[in-house]
Amino acid sequence: MATAPKKKLISSDNDTEWSPVLAPDLIRSIFERLNFAEFHRAMSISLDWYSTAELCYRQNPTPWLILFSNYRHISCRLFDPLHDKTYVIRDLGFDFHRSCCLATSGSWLLMLDHRTDFYLLNLFTRERICLPTLEAIDGWQMKFERVGESDFLKTFTYREGYRSYSSGLSTKVVIENAVLWVDERSRDYLVVWSIECFFAYHKKGDNNKTWKVIQLKKNEGCSDIVFRESKLYVLNPNLNITVFDFSSGSPNECASFTSQDIGLTLYPLSCFGHLVITLSGEVLLIKTRRYGIYSFDVYKMDPKSSKWREIYSLGNEAILLDLGTTIAAKDGFGENSLYLSNHKLCRYNGSSLCNENSNYVYDFLRRLVVQRFQHLADLSPVPFKDSCWFFPTFCGKSLL
């Protein structure tokens, strides 16, 4: 990473002091034309350039793909599709290669390490924020008792009938879904994760360093969650959607949608495992099919009738399935396309990146794969265990 340079640079020809002085507007125009690596090299020219770089950003960031390594000395590889360039990130911490990424927000990653401890990590600044441990649950619905480095005795208590059960010793606690939101200027953050029918959340500023618990009504499970503009959208296995508002204090249920569409019942409900919120706030449901590779159909909910209908065009938008959102289809991102990194089923089964079901672009209008990124893993001597799309940022602002 670029560090703040000394104010004066020494010329080797005449041993005199030289300081490059350019108008800030001119420096800014130069930064706007640089790629990621050039941007950071230019920051080291002088303090004027470094200060200008911190104020320079582009309004519409382009998503990048990150591949996570199994090796300690190489933490991850980044791919910039706009400039068709790859970068290697090293030294993100001794335990990074033994951690898994649960969610992203800008350049911040929500990580779960080999001890099942949570932390936030900024990919470029290396800043790390420790989160409450799994045992620190503020609520009677969930209880985790550590009985080994990563082993737990877990107990879930349900509202209906107040019955409880203990699942016994577990060698691995599977966090089924998670979302992260970070304000990179103020460092305010919110983390939400789910397991069975319970949600745990923690945000900066909470007085006690614990996870607070939300329990869904009727003990409904969770297929997917998306966080957008202070609201958490929860999709349950019956295709019902519950929305929680986090804009003030404790989260409040502010909306719910009960699916009335009979057409979707022609397929197993487990096929509908992904929720997407578009740039305009529309709710999409993604149906997964398996014919050699995973393929997808897209459904949109009518907010008046709560019925789903299949759609074949998103206009000038593309779907980023990892983030549960859409982006403007430009800078190489095609409209009516779905960008997939590592399928959820492969990730939860502990599978490494595979040739068939990882890192590709699916055109749901033509119903075929139109681009693959698997070469990023195949051509590397280092094995990669997972991948995801994210928006690169630095100094609290978008670089691209």
Side-chain angles (χ1 to χ4, degrees):
M1 297 298 302
T3 57
K6 295 181 179 179
K7 178 65 176 177
K8 296 181 180 179
L9 303 180
I10 305 300
S11 171
S12 59
D13 293 334
N14 53 15
D15 199 29
T16 59
E17 294 181 351
W18 172 78
S19 177
V21 179
L22 293 175
D25 288 344
L26 181 57
I27 298 176
R28 187 178 298 112
S29 68
I30 294 173
F31 274 121
E32 290 175 350
R33 291 167 171 79
L34 302 180
N35 63 31
F36 174 76
E38 293 167 342
F39 186 98
H40 286 279
R41 284 195 293 267
M43 290 176 65
S44 300
I45 292 177
S46 73
L47 282 176
D48 291 334
W49 285 64
Y50 187 88
S51 299
T52 303
E54 291 185 321
L55 301 174
C56 180
Y57 68 101
R58 300 177 188 177
Q59 296 295 331
N60 299 304
T62 300
W64 285 15
L65 185 65
I66 177 173
L67 284 74
F68 298 93
S69 167
N70 271 325
Y71 277 33
R72 178 180 297 182
H73 65 286
I74 296 180
S75 298
C76 57
R77 171 172 291 187
L78 309 180
F79 174 63
D80 172 7
L82 177 59
H83 299 97
D84 193 25
K85 291 183 178 294
T86 60
Y87 307 94
V88 173
I89 301 294
R90 306 177 188 274
D91 304 325
L92 288 176
F94 74 94
D95 59 344
F96 186 82
H97 69 289
R98 294 191 292 172
S99 303
C100 63
C101 180
L102 301 178
T104 69
S105 176
S107 294
W108 285 91
L109 311 178
L110 171 59
M111 306 298 297
L112 187 69
D113 70 13
H114 66 286
R115 296 188 71 256
T116 320
D117 286 333
F118 300 89
Y119 65 93
L120 303 183
L121 176 69
N122 189 295
L123 189 60
F124 299 127
T125 67
R126 268 66 168 181
E127 183 179 353
R128 183 179 291 220
I129 300 174
C130 293
L131 297 174
T133 63
L134 192 62
E135 305 97 302
I137 300 291
D138 183 9
W140 51 267
Q141 298 98 326
M142 286 195 297
K143 180 180 179 182
F144 296 90
E145 180 183 356
R146 192 182 294 270
V147 293
E149 184 178 49
S150 59
D151 299 336
F152 293 86
L153 188 68
K154 54 185 182 181
T155 304
F156 298 100
T157 304
Y158 295 85
R159 287 194 183 99
E160 282 190 88
Y162 297 96
R163 62 188 180 90
S164 64
Y165 73 91
S166 174
S167 62
L169 185 65
S170 175
T171 57
K172 184 178 182 181
V173 174
V174 177
I175 304 300
E176 298 168 356
N177 297 282
V179 292
L180 169 66
W181 171 82
V182 179
D183 184 322
E184 298 198 47
R185 291 183 177 87
S186 65
R187 294 299 191 267
D188 289 340
Y189 62 81
L190 171 70
V191 178
V192 185
W193 51 268
S194 71
I195 184 168
E196 298 203 10
C197 66
F198 302 100
F199 291 86
Y201 72 94
H202 177 75
K203 55 186 175 64
K204 181 181 178 181
D206 285 348
N207 294 328
N208 54 348
K209 296 182 179 180
T210 60
W211 296 101
K212 297 182 179 180
V213 180
I214 307 173
Q215 184 172 355
L216 292 177
K217 295 179 179 179
K218 301 179 181 179
N219 298 323
E220 296 174 322
C222 174
S223 296
D224 198 14
I225 54 177
V226 175
F227 190 77
R228 177 76 182 276
E229 297 180 351
S230 301
K231 292 182 174 59
L232 181 73
Y233 295 78
V234 180
L235 174 69
N236 77 9
N238 293 320
L239 307 187
N240 299 325
I241 297 173
T242 305
V243 184
F244 294 91
D245 188 351
F246 279 82
S247 60
S248 62
S250 301
N252 299 308
E253 182 177 330
C254 61
S256 61
F257 307 93
T258 301
S259 175
Q260 304 294 329
D261 193 350
I262 304 301
L264 295 186
T265 61
L266 297 175
Y267 305 95
L269 296 182
S270 59
C271 292
F272 299 87
H274 296 281
L275 185 66
V276 172
I277 309 300
T278 69
L279 293 175
S280 60
E282 294 180 312
V283 180
L284 303 181
L285 193 61
I286 311 300
K287 179 169 72 70
T288 306
R289 293 178 289 132
R290 177 73 183 271
Y291 299 108
I293 66 168
Y294 289 103
S295 58
F296 306 90
D297 297 327
V298 181
Y299 292 79
K300 182 168 70 173
M301 172 180 279
D302 183 336
K304 295 183 179 180
S305 65
S306 295
K307 292 186 177 182
W308 298 96
R309 62 182 180 87
E310 187 173 4
I311 61 173
Y312 303 97
S313 175
L314 289 174
N316 192 33
E317 294 182 21
I319 293 175
L320 280 182
L321 201 59
D322 294 339
L323 300 176
T325 187
T326 60
I327 60 172
K330 64 177 183 177
D331 295 333
F333 285 81
E335 61 185 24
N336 298 322
S337 296
L338 182 148
Y339 287 76
L340 178 80
S341 59
N342 195 18
H343 196 274
K344 182 190 296 187
L345 296 178
C346 298
R347 179 176 294 135
Y348 290 164
N349 290 337
S351 303
S352 60
L353 295 185
C354 52
N355 293 326
E356 197 174 60
N357 294 305
S358 301
N359 303 324
Y360 64 83
V361 183
Y362 181 80
D363 188 314
F364 59 83
L365 181 59
R366 292 185 284 170
R367 297 185 181 277
L368 53 83
V369 173
V370 294
Q371 188 177 6
R372 291 185 180 274
F373 304 106
Q374 189 58 33
H375 66 283
L376 300 172
D378 292 342
L379 298 180
S380 173
V382 177
F384 293 96
K385 61 183 179 181
D386 204 355
S387 60
C388 69
W389 290 93
F390 76 106
F391 289 97
T393 56
F394 184 71
C395 295
K397 304 177 181 69
S398 300
L399 276 179
L400 299 177

